[in-house]
Amino acid sequence: MKYSAISSCLSAVLLCAALLSCGTETPADVPDTTSADETGVQITAAPEEVKPVLRADLPETDFGGKTFTVLGRINNSYDQFNNFEIYAEKENGEVVNDAIFRRNTAIEDAYNVEIAQVLIGDEPHNELQKSVDAGDHLYDTAFIDLWFVGPLIQKGYFLNLYDVEHIDFSKPWWNPGVNEAVSLCGKLYATTSDFSLRDKSRAYILMYNKELTARYDIPDPVQTVRDGKWTVDLVNEYIKYFSSDLDGDGKMGGEFDGFGLAMDSYIAFASFTTGLDNTVITKDADDNPVITMNNEHMAASVEKIMTLTCDPTTAFFCNDFKGIALGDHWMVAADSFNAQRTWMSTSFPHMLQYCSQNTEFEYGVLPFPKLDEAQKDYITMADVYCMLFGIPATTPDPAFSGFMLEALSAASTDTTLAAYYDISCKTKYSYNPESGEMLDLIFQNIRYDPALIYDVGSLFDIITEYLPKEKENNFISLYEKYEKNAQRSLDKLVTAIGELEH
């Protein structure tokens, strides 16, 4: 995944106008212009004179007030799952909100068009399916959660983006790494770009307690990362230092004990697997999917990850506390980390604000470890709840959708993306330049495994559910159990994609 341009976004924004005004305190006689946006990120007011630059190579067009409607998601219980990048009703002094509003206003004024959103509670994939089945044209573009988008593609609910006029995938606001992962048989039905922020907010990261690190004389993890020595064996060694019967009941594994590693869900197991440079499905030279899960590298990785994540005296998954946690079991990892009962926790960029508001210690950001020092890159996994967007198959004017997606993607790089990534994530809630450096490193290598998108024969479930839940290394037997069905599913998928007429 490319994000080489992101690190320069902040400089561009600051040259245009003083977007960032980050004081640690607000004087009594100065209005407080900071507040939390829809993602929960604390942000600072942007000056009114900041205006986005329309960089897309698009023809001068007057759409006569036509409305571009985008389908997205809203979750009333956990707002981190909401689409927040599509639309802003008005300026309210929040950097991300105001960047969205100004970007949209610039596009609306330039092309005489209206931008609108429809946010569905938790299940936009069902809404899209009903709409297309009925032959309705309700949405010009739809955002769909990663693990729901594959079945919709297979059943023909999206148009092939390679055939859509105005979309230019050679431009830097598009992501060739995502296209490579999502495309099948030379066709691309869903993707992401600088327009989307949900995929950035749901990229896996690690957070660690810097004070506990110093207390246990652990060498600076950031320097270890720089030296290429941040490996799973090293992390396995470190987390043992923090095992402690803090609740005093004479046994380990309770919600209030001390741990080296806390994980937000069983999916974190797959994120460690991905970090060790494993894939479930790759593509051949003809863009056809091939199962590549069963190999010595994966087997060695699973053995190490089982040791890292499934020892109840040193690590836990939030799922393990379902029904027994005193509060919301999904928050046990974050709460344990914030209470300094855990040294390290899996997390996401959108959680930096929550951590900042609820910690009384300095924390840092790290990438997921490598298998060994010979591994070239640090790799992170796109979470199942990140989102891709596509153009519904019933769209009567695909060129209009293509035009708007190109315009929004191009206009987002130095506006909404910079406001979210450079200001909210890297500046407001990263206490030091090292954490910003680590975020840059993480965002350079976000991996989208086709198996996660297309869910062929439950192969990805082996590392997102079965192994972490059972906590026994029966990887080989599980693979053998699902291999034939997975291959049949994959063959069916290829046939279905090949037969699609759009």
Side-chain angles (χ1 to χ4, degrees):
M1 187 172 191
K2 62 91 189 155
Y3 272 99
S4 58
I6 295 181
S7 59
S8 64
C9 285
L10 183 58
S11 297
V13 173
L14 293 176
L15 286 172
C16 291
L19 250 177
L20 179 60
S21 177
C22 287
T24 57
E25 297 181 353
T26 302
D29 59 344
V30 177
D32 184 2
T33 58
T34 63
S35 54
D37 68 4
E38 294 180 20
T39 69
V41 175
Q42 196 80 4
I43 48 186
T44 304
E48 294 182 359
E49 64 268 19
V50 177
K51 294 183 179 181
V53 177
L54 301 183
R55 301 185 298 149
D57 186 17
L58 294 167
E60 293 185 10
T61 305
D62 185 333
F63 286 112
K66 188 174 183 178
T67 299
F68 177 71
T69 304
V70 183
L71 173 66
R73 182 185 187 194
I74 189 169
N75 186 306
N76 294 322
S77 299
Y78 302 98
D79 60 9
Q80 65 263 33
F81 300 122
N82 296 348
N83 279 108
F84 60 95
E85 66 273 79
I86 302 168
Y87 174 81
E89 182 177 0
K90 61 183 179 180
E91 292 184 87
N92 61 10
E94 300 170 357
V95 166
V96 177
N97 176 90
D98 291 359
I100 293 168
F101 179 83
R102 292 169 187 170
R103 177 202 63 195
N104 287 3
T105 299
I107 291 173
E108 289 173 338
D109 291 346
Y111 304 116
N112 191 14
V113 66
E114 297 289 334
I115 298 171
Q117 68 177 4
V118 176
L119 302 184
I120 301 296
D122 291 341
E123 297 182 340
H125 57 287
N126 289 336
E127 169 65 18
L128 177 66
Q129 187 169 338
K130 288 188 293 185
S131 171
V132 174
D133 285 344
D136 294 332
H137 167 49
L138 301 178
Y139 312 107
D140 300 291
T141 293
F143 279 85
I144 304 295
D145 290 301
L146 199 63
W147 59 355
F148 292 125
V149 73
L152 293 180
I153 291 173
Q154 185 172 351
K155 295 175 183 178
Y157 285 94
F158 290 108
L159 296 177
N160 182 6
L161 297 174
Y162 286 147
D163 293 336
V164 175
E165 189 178 356
H166 301 303
I167 293 179
D168 185 353
F169 285 120
S170 69
K171 298 297 186 181
W173 41 84
W174 296 99
N175 195 312
V178 176
N179 292 353
E180 182 180 351
V182 182
S183 68
L184 284 178
C185 310
K187 301 179 179 180
L188 180 70
Y189 292 94
T191 189
T192 186
S193 72
D194 290 353
F195 171 40
S196 174
L197 296 179
R198 268 292 308 280
D199 57 326
K200 288 76 172 174
S201 71
R202 295 297 297 185
Y204 262 103
I205 63 175
L206 288 173
M207 293 195 298
Y208 75 105
N209 185 318
K210 300 187 76 171
E211 294 180 13
L212 288 179
T213 302
R215 187 182 306 171
Y216 284 84
D217 293 325
I218 293 175
D220 179 15
V222 170
Q223 188 58 50
T224 303
V225 170
R226 292 170 178 155
D227 295 339
K229 297 180 179 180
W230 183 242
T231 66
V232 65
D233 287 340
L234 193 62
V235 179
N236 255 322
E237 175 188 340
Y238 289 163
I239 65 169
K240 294 180 174 64
Y241 301 164
F242 303 93
S243 178
S244 177
D245 179 23
L246 292 182
D247 62 11
D249 65 357
K251 57 183 179 180
M252 278 298 301
E255 180 181 352
F256 299 99
D257 281 329
F259 297 91
L261 174 65
M263 291 161 287
D264 62 292
S265 74
Y266 289 150
I267 297 170
F269 189 100
S271 192
F272 278 106
T273 306
T274 301
L276 271 55
D277 198 13
N278 291 280
T279 55
V280 176
I281 289 177
T282 56
K283 247 87 74 59
D284 63 18
D286 297 319
D287 202 33
N288 294 314
V290 179
I291 298 173
T292 53
M293 186 180 200
N294 188 22
N295 55 67
E296 292 182 1
H297 186 97
M298 174 69 87
S301 298
V302 166
E303 182 66 32
K304 292 179 182 293
I305 297 168
M306 293 293 299
T307 302
L308 177 69
T309 65
C310 295
D311 181 345
T313 68
T314 58
F316 71 84
F317 299 92
C318 282
N319 311 62
D320 298 336
F321 290 100
K322 185 177 182 179
I324 61 175
L326 291 183
D328 183 352
H329 71 279
W330 293 120
M331 294 303 296
V332 173
D335 292 342
S336 179
F337 181 77
N338 292 339
Q340 300 201 71
R341 295 191 299 268
T342 298
W343 173 55
M344 177 178 290
S345 178
T346 63
S347 193
F348 303 94
H350 69 75
M351 286 297 292
L352 293 172
Q353 181 268 347
Y354 178 86
C355 189
S356 179
Q357 288 185 341
N358 291 277
T359 59
E360 297 181 356
F361 58 90
E362 188 173 4
Y363 64 86
V365 175
L366 294 169
F368 278 70
K370 301 188 294 185
L371 176 63
D372 52 39
E373 294 183 32
Q375 181 177 318
K376 180 182 178 182
D377 297 317
Y378 294 102
I379 304 167
T380 197
M381 187 184 83
D383 180 48
V384 298
Y385 286 108
C386 87
M387 302 185 89
L388 301 178
F389 58 75
I391 299 175
T394 50
T395 302
D397 189 0
F400 174 59
S401 294
F403 187 104
M404 291 300 296
L405 286 173
E406 185 74 12
L408 282 163
S409 299
S412 295
T413 306
D414 294 334
T415 56
T416 57
L417 180 59
Y420 178 73
Y421 179 73
D422 275 313
I423 296 176
S424 295
C425 293
K426 285 180 61 179
T427 306
K428 287 292 288 184
Y429 295 110
S430 295
Y431 288 125
N432 48 68
E434 290 79 10
S435 289
E437 176 190 346
M438 294 297 100
L439 283 170
D440 281 339
L441 186 64
I442 291 166
F443 273 73
Q444 286 172 6
N445 290 290
I446 301 178
R447 179 167 291 175
Y448 289 71
D449 195 308
L452 175 57
I453 300 167
Y454 294 105
D455 189 29
V456 290
S458 299
L459 285 183
F460 214 81
D461 292 344
I462 294 175
I463 54 176
T464 57
E465 181 177 354
Y466 302 133
L467 290 177
K469 182 177 182 179
E470 297 170 8
K471 295 179 174 53
E472 294 182 9
N473 189 359
N474 49 3
F475 167 70
I476 298 300
S477 61
L478 284 170
Y479 177 82
E480 291 175 347
K481 177 180 179 180
Y482 294 111
E483 179 184 18
K484 290 183 180 179
N485 183 49
Q487 189 59 56
R488 285 194 294 267
S489 297
L490 201 60
D491 293 340
K492 182 179 179 181
L493 171 65
V494 171
T495 299
I497 296 296
E499 292 177 350
L500 291 176
E501 296 180 356
H502 52 263

